[in-house]
Amino acid sequence: MRVCVVGAGIIGITSAIAVKEAFPSAEVTVFGETFSPNTTGDGSAGLWGPYILTNTNPTKVLRWAETTHKWMESFWKSEIAPDVGASLLPAYRVTSETDDYSDPVWAPCVYGFTQLSSSQLDKLNARRKNKPKYRAGWHFVTYTFEPIKGLPWLMEKFKRLNGKIIKRKITDLKELRKEGFDIVINCAGLGCREINNDHTVNPVRGQVTRIRAPWQFETFIEEDDDGNYVIPNIDTVIMGGTHQEGDFNLTVNPADSKFIKEGCERLYPSLQKGKMINEWVGLRPARQEVRLEPEIIREPGKEDFMIVHNYGHGGSGITLCWGCALNVVEILRQLQKANKPSKL
């Protein structure tokens, strides 16, 4: 079996590893136009937490997210945790926009999930100054898996499994059939607007600032449209951020930089003493729902050709990656049972 994965971000690389581990004799090739440290995920904090998933089925979100959380736990419990950027952190998620902040479907996945009491919210509201008060929130403990560390590690693992990695822009998935591939796994993210003409995938622009502030151990996320967030990593702290829908601009915006700096220093004044490392902009590949499904291409006189689509994860690529990768494997196993295509 010859399988190619299109896309070398966290979704693509985890899918490639999962397929190679499930089918050791398969020839698996990853095609990528960009690789770490230049993928969308590399600038992110890698915090586990479903975000920008719109109408994706909650049952699927729970399944994929829980599987990935357990995967992160396995790294955190191992000696390679620092190598992949795996950390366990306390986190607040709060909002001033609603009183109805019911427990999310993924609440059982994390540790110590609790709704914030009115007295807890009162204490946190000291950070709001002239902004509307927080009306609801959660506290829990969860993982980070830093792509800037984890992606290179995963790519090396894929190579050790005898996987192939090729730098190349793919513009037509169906053309890969002519190169002898039996199955294509489409993990192209925002690139799916071009390679399979899916204009339901749209960018959600995210700008962040990375600083060195080793005393910061707590995550704080404001869910409001104009909210900020602070997420510690092992070596740095990520301050954010923006979620500007439909914006393709990859240039750092000084107005956004000011908003991030002032907003995050409002949350934690000690961050004023942090040392600036860099600023970064990435485009999250958002869609009304994650697309994870097979597509069979049938042409007269030719064997069926399969594409497994795995894209549209919004701001949850890290959160869902391993669960979605194992779902890809399930699809291929179902195909194997049906003996279609025969090369499986």
Side-chain angles (χ1 to χ4, degrees), residues 271-330:
L271 295 178
Q272 297 176 39
K273 299 178 181 179
K275 179 183 178 182
M276 162 81 78
I277 304 299
N278 60 37
E279 294 180 284
W280 173 88
V281 177
L283 305 180
R284 309 174 183 101
R287 197 173 182 270
Q288 281 299 304
E289 59 180 331
V290 173
R291 187 181 186 190
L292 207 175
E293 62 182 0
E295 178 186 3
I296 304 297
I297 307 299
R298 292 189 168 94
E299 296 179 9
K302 296 181 180 180
E303 289 186 8
D304 290 352
F305 179 62
M306 176 183 250
I307 299 172
V308 180
H309 297 287
N310 184 15
Y311 66 88
H313 298 79
S316 299
I318 292 293
T319 301
L320 305 182
C321 64
W322 191 245
C324 288
L326 294 186
N327 200 157
V328 169
V329 169
E330 287 178 17

Side-chain angles (χ1 to χ4, degrees), residues 45-50 65-66 68-70 72-73 76 85-93 106-113 139-145 217-221 230-233 318-319:
L47 180 72
W48 185 100
E66 184 176 31
T68 306
H69 199 267
K70 291 178 180 178
M72 290 182 180
E73 180 183 57
W76 181 71
S87 297
L88 187 63
L89 295 169
Y92 287 96
R93 282 176 72 158
W106 49 262
C109 300
V110 297
Y111 311 117
F113 182 93
H139 185 265
F140 54 93
V141 179
T142 191
Y143 293 104
T144 56
F145 183 90
F217 292 102
E218 182 177 84
T219 296
F220 200 94
I221 301 171
V230 175
I231 304 173
N233 278 176
I318 292 293
T319 301

